[in-house]
């Protein structure tokens, strides 16, 4: 079995666990989910799958950066993206260690330090990609158009963020829990600004390998943003029974990250 | 120099975009080739060897941010070879 097939197997496994989680959310802890696919087993499987996918995504992003020349303007954004994914992988490694031992996902945990550190790097890398791709001479929109899109998204995100975050803040919790429940969705709203602009940049490339890679990466961002928002809401509401949906959202997101970075790595391979 | 004489611009665009489409997507391959082509001051629907070289060089340098210079250079070489075949066609 080639390394490529092993990676594909990981992705299929992760998606299979996602399907199991959807089934768990719909059915509840009954039948097979009570006897065999217990919450403890599923959280361990999901934890390992997430960790493997994030490591893969980090390795691919790092390899892409490494293959680009030192003065290639795309190298720095790829390094930042690799660091962000590395941060997520470290965070997941900590979280998975708890999950493997106790079968539970503690919140907050030391892993949150790495997850939180990853977001500014991800945001910075996306802004770097926008500037680099725009300046490469392709008809992907002017700086003015991108600024306009970013401003519009920022305003919309701000309008949506207030009603979403208000009850999260009001729900309270420990200072660290409160900080993280606000920080994750806030980072997501900020992340939306370069993400939507990158969709504008990537869209004209549809049908080609560049678009396929970016569609996967940006799809991953959408999934983790959804996961973060659901996490903040479910934490606030105390809806533990909906946790499987969170795991599913992150699994899909990380599969997309691993796939997208792999596809882009293939682009720069000789 | 890819050819010795002028070549039909449309044929050159067709050859170049055929090679770029798998990476850039067909519409971006056509759009970016035409965007660079418009700066070449083409007359009578034909391009000179120098203009073809300028076009391929521009397309290759833009590709580098996505695929790296090595692969961009390889793609540019393929474009030159494909256009050269146009020139040698009977």
């Amino acid at each position: 079995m080639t390394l490529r097939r092993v990676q594909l197997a990981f992705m299929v496994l992760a998606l299979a666990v996602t399907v199991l989680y959807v089934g768990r959310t719909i059915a509840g802890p009954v039948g097979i989910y009570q006897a065999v696919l217990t919450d403890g087993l599923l959280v361990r499987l999901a934890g390992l799958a997430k960790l493997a996918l994030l490591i893969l995504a980090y390795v691919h992003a790092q390899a892409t950066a490494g293959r680009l020349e030192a003065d290639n303007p795309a190298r720095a954004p790829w390094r930042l993206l690799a660091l962000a994914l590395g941060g997520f992988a470290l965070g997941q490694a900590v979280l998975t260690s708890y999950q493997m031992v106790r079968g539970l996902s503690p919140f907050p945990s030391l892993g949150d330090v790495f997850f939180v550190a990853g977001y500014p790097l991800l945001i910075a890398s996306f802004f770097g990609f926008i500037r680099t791709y725009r300046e490469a001479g392709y008809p992907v929109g002017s700086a003015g158009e991108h600024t306009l899109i970013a401003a519009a998204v920022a305003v919309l995100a701000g309008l949506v963020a207030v009603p979403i975050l208000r009850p999260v803040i009001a729900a309270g919790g420990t200072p660290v829990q409160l900080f993280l429940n606000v920080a994750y969705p806030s980072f997501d709203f900020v992340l939306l600004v370069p993400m939507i602009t990158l969709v504008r940049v990537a869209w004209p490339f549809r049908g080609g390998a560049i678009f396929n890679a970016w569609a996967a990466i940006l799809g991953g961002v959408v999934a983790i943003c959804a996961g973060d928002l659901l996490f903040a809401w479910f934490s606030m509401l105390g809806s533990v029974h909906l946790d499987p949906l969170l795991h599913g959202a992150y699994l899909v997101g990380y599969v997309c990250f691993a796939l997208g970075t792999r596809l882009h790595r293939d682009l720069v391979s000789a | 120099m890819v050819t010795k004489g002028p070549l039909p611009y449309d044929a050159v665009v067709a050859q170049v975009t055929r090679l770029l489409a798998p990476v850039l997507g067909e519409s971006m391959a056509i759009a970016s080739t035409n965007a660079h082509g418009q700066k070449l001051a083409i007359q009578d629907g034909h391009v000179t060897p120098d203009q073809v070289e300028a076009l391929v060089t521009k397309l290759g340098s833009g590709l580098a941010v996505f695929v790296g210079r090595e692969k961009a250079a390889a793609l540019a070489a393929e474009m030159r070879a494909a256009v050269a075949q146009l020139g040698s066609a009977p």
Side-chain angles (χ1 to χ4, degrees), chain B:
Chain B
M1 201 71 70
V2 288
T3 61
K4 288 177 182 166
L7 291 170
Y9 175 66
D10 289 345
V12 170
V13 170
Q15 286 293 329
V16 167
T17 55
R18 180 178 59 81
L19 291 164
L20 290 175
V23 179
L24 299 179
E26 194 173 349
S27 50
M28 178 55 92
I30 294 169
S32 58
T33 306
N34 281 328
H36 288 304
Q38 280 172 3
K39 296 171 193 162
L40 297 175
I42 296 158
Q43 291 179 343
D44 305 331
H46 283 72
V47 278
T48 65
D50 285 344
Q51 286 173 320
V52 173
E53 182 56 34
L55 179 66
V56 170
T57 303
K58 275 279 183 193
L59 289 167
S61 67
L63 272 173
V65 297
F66 294 108
V67 301
R69 288 204 188 96
E70 194 182 336
K71 194 160 177 183
L75 265 167
E78 281 185 55
M79 285 188 263
R80 286 188 188 95
V83 173
Q85 281 192 331
L86 281 177
S88 62

Side-chain angles (χ1 to χ4, degrees), chain A residues 178-259:
Chain A
L178 188 61
F179 167 75
L180 290 172
N181 274 337
V182 173
Y184 285 126
S186 300
F187 275 132
D188 291 326
F189 284 120
V190 177
L191 186 56
L192 278 177
V193 174
M195 196 208 81
I196 300 289
T197 313
L198 257 180
V199 170
R200 160 67 183 97
V201 171
W203 185 249
F205 291 91
R206 62 196 180 280
I210 291 167
F211 178 80
N212 294 342
W214 276 105
I217 294 169
L218 297 176
V221 172
V222 171
I224 65 159
C225 286
D228 288 343
L229 287 174
L230 291 173
F231 179 75
W233 269 78
F234 295 167
S235 293
M236 177 193 72
L237 297 169
S239 307
V240 182
H241 65 287
L242 294 173
D243 275 1
L245 279 181
L246 295 178
H247 291 295
Y250 289 120
L251 277 166
V252 169
Y254 297 162
V255 166
C256 289
F257 281 157
L259 181 65

Side-chain angles (χ1 to χ4, degrees), chain A residues 14 20 35 78 80 90 112 132 152 193 200 215 231 242 257:
Chain A
L20 290 175
W78 273 106
L80 286 172
L90 282 173
D112 288 299
T132 301
V193 174
R200 160 67 183 97
F231 179 75
L242 294 173
F257 281 157

Side-chain angles (χ1 to χ4, degrees), chain A residues 87-104:
Chain A
F88 290 162
L90 282 173
Q92 188 61 46
V94 174
L95 195 56
T96 301
S97 66
Y98 287 118
Q99 291 166 338
M100 294 308 288
V101 175
R102 292 156 55 184
L104 293 168

Side-chain angles (χ1 to χ4, degrees), chain A residues 16-269:
Chain A
V17 176
T18 305
V19 171
L20 290 175
Y21 265 127
V22 172
R24 166 66 179 77
T25 309
I26 295 167
V30 293
I32 193 170
Y33 289 106
Q34 192 177 31
V36 185
L37 299 171
T38 60
D39 287 353
L41 177 67
L42 283 178
V43 87
R44 287 180 175 96
L45 275 176
L48 286 174
K50 285 180 210 168
L51 180 58
L53 291 166
L54 283 170
I55 290 171
L56 277 177
Y58 165 76
V59 168
H60 294 325
Q62 191 75 313
T64 299
R67 282 175 189 271
L68 295 171
E69 306 73 22
D71 61 340
N72 191 314
R75 187 175 164 124
W78 273 106
R79 280 265 185 259
L80 286 172
L81 180 59
L83 281 172
L85 293 167
F88 290 162
L90 282 173
Q92 188 61 46
V94 174
L95 195 56
T96 301
S97 66
Y98 287 118
Q99 291 166 338
M100 294 308 288
V101 175
R102 292 156 55 184
L104 293 168
S105 307
F107 176 74
S109 77
L110 185 63
D112 288 299
V113 172
F114 299 106
F115 282 121
V116 167
Y119 279 88
L121 296 168
L122 191 59
I123 291 164
S125 80
F126 279 10
F127 277 115
F129 282 122
I130 292 165
R131 191 178 56 250
T132 301
Y133 292 162
R134 184 176 61 227
E135 289 173 358
Y138 291 99
V140 293
S142 63
E145 183 190 336
H146 293 169
T147 306
L148 205 65
I149 292 170
V153 176
V155 169
L156 277 175
L159 289 173
V160 175
V162 172
I164 286 182
L165 291 178
R166 193 177 288 145
V168 173
I169 295 166
T174 67
V176 178
Q177 281 175 334
L178 188 61
F179 167 75
L180 290 172
N181 274 337
V182 173
Y184 285 126
S186 300
F187 275 132
D188 291 326
F189 284 120
V190 177
L191 186 56
L192 278 177
V193 174
M195 196 208 81
I196 300 289
T197 313
L198 257 180
V199 170
R200 160 67 183 97
V201 171
W203 185 249
F205 291 91
R206 62 196 180 280
I210 291 167
F211 178 80
N212 294 342
W214 276 105
I217 294 169
L218 297 176
V221 172
V222 171
I224 65 159
C225 286
D228 288 343
L229 287 174
L230 291 173
F231 179 75
W233 269 78
F234 295 167
S235 293
M236 177 193 72
L237 297 169
S239 307
V240 182
H241 65 287
L242 294 173
D243 275 1
L245 279 181
L246 295 178
H247 291 295
Y250 289 120
L251 277 166
V252 169
Y254 297 162
V255 166
C256 289
F257 281 157
L259 181 65
T261 49
R262 169 81 248 181
L263 290 173
H264 211 294
R265 182 183 178 173
D266 287 346
L267 264 173
V268 295
S269 299

